[in-house]
Amino acid sequence: MSSKEFLQAKADGRKLSMVTCYDYTFARVLAKSPIDGILIGDSAAMVVHGFPSTLSMTVELTRIHTEAVARGAGGKFIVADMPFLSYRKGLGPALDAAQTLMAAGAGALKIEGVEGHEDVIRQLTGSGIPVMGHLGLQPQSVNAYGGYKVQGRCGDAARAIVTQARALEDLGAFSIVLECIPSPLAEEITAAVRIPTIGIGAGAGCDGQILVLHDMLGLNVDFQPKFVRQFINGADCVKDAIGRYDKAVKAGTFPAQTESFA
Ligand code: KIV
């Protein structure tokens, strides 16, 4: 897949699937899956590094995760998140950050919001860098919201998100993540723009879906948002395996002769 093929998928009415990924080992697994795209999300700050929000993500950390994923992803389409404030410090620093992440192996960059950094988005798309927008709940603005809350519930807020989606399309974005907005609003935006919408907590009417890998694998033991489906209970599977390993070690049945060198 590529950003061009994302656009074609919408034109053809084909749904797009994406998950996040942060490391080489999971990237190797995803490389052998039918997934359409991989996001090196700034959710790495929370999922991998244990920070309370995505605000702690940096360009340097994103570069390291992007390089690791790119080594394993076997040519899958990779989108990297522009971290908190990296695109709000002026055009020069934003382009430096973009250059670092593209050189690390990203095929596209994702940026939250649009107002106030239209120039950055225009410059990136004009420089041949595919840009994925991100509207609705923008986790980098959690402090302004006062928590992680569904966005666009009232008329004015909903209208603003539709306007932002159109602005992103006009600025040359190739797709838009819609996070935590009412399903009817996501459907309206999906119908209003030619670029694909990728939903997370935005209902089934989007052109595609994205989930945080650790959430959909059931590895997040602390928190399960309403919009997440656990396709496997990974935490229980891992706990069970560790328990059996522990038992085998303590019973002296691991390693067996076949697992040892003569
Ligand atoms: O960082 C992330 O994981 C994301 C997804 C929630 C879309 O931005």
Side-chain angles (χ1 to χ4, degrees), residues 20 39 41-43 81 110 134 177 179 200 210 212:
T20 64
L39 172 72
D42 58 0
S43 50
D81 247 338
K110 177 163 80 62
H134 184 150
V177 166
E179 179 164 356
I200 174 164
I210 183 164
V212 168

Side-chain angles (χ1 to χ4, degrees), residues 85-186:
L85 293 186
S86 64
Y87 47 94
R88 304 280 300 191
K89 297 176 179 171
L91 209 45
L95 290 181
D96 286 345
Q99 184 173 17
T100 299
L101 300 183
M102 294 303 285
L109 300 175
K110 177 163 80 62
I111 301 186
E112 290 187 12
V114 54
E115 279 144 25
H117 48 273
E118 292 92 339
D119 56 340
V120 173
I121 298 172
R122 194 178 296 110
Q123 189 74 25
L124 291 178
T125 57
S127 305
I129 298 178
V131 171
M132 175 179 268
H134 184 150
L135 301 176
L137 174 67
Q138 296 163 41
Q140 293 173 10
S141 300
V142 61
N143 290 303
Y145 301 140
Y148 296 99
K149 296 175 182 163
V150 175
Q151 301 295 306
R153 278 200 193 277
C154 75
D156 282 355
R159 294 281 69 75
I161 299 174
V162 177
T163 305
Q164 290 160 12
R166 289 209 172 98
L168 278 171
E169 179 171 39
D170 290 345
L171 288 165
F174 77 93
S175 66
I176 310 172
V177 166
L178 297 176
E179 179 164 356
C180 287
I181 60 172
S183 311
L185 175 59

Side-chain angles (χ1 to χ4, degrees), residues 188-208:
E188 182 185 338
I189 294 168
T190 300
V193 294
R194 283 182 312 275
I195 57 178
T197 57
I198 310 295
I200 174 164
C206 296
D207 298 306

Side-chain angles (χ1 to χ4, degrees), residues 19-53:
V19 288
T20 64
C21 184
Y22 318 104
D23 70 353
Y24 172 82
T25 301
F26 269 125
R28 291 304 302 139
V29 176
L30 293 178
K32 295 174 188 351
S33 80
I35 204 83
D36 292 316
I38 295 174
L39 172 72
I40 291 85
D42 58 0
S43 50
M46 302 169 82
V47 175
V48 180
H49 298 281
F51 288 109
S53 75

Side-chain angles (χ1 to χ4, degrees), residues 11 67 159 194 208 222 224 231:
E67 284 182 351
R159 294 281 69 75
R194 283 182 312 275
D222 298 324
Q224 200 200 332
F231 286 82

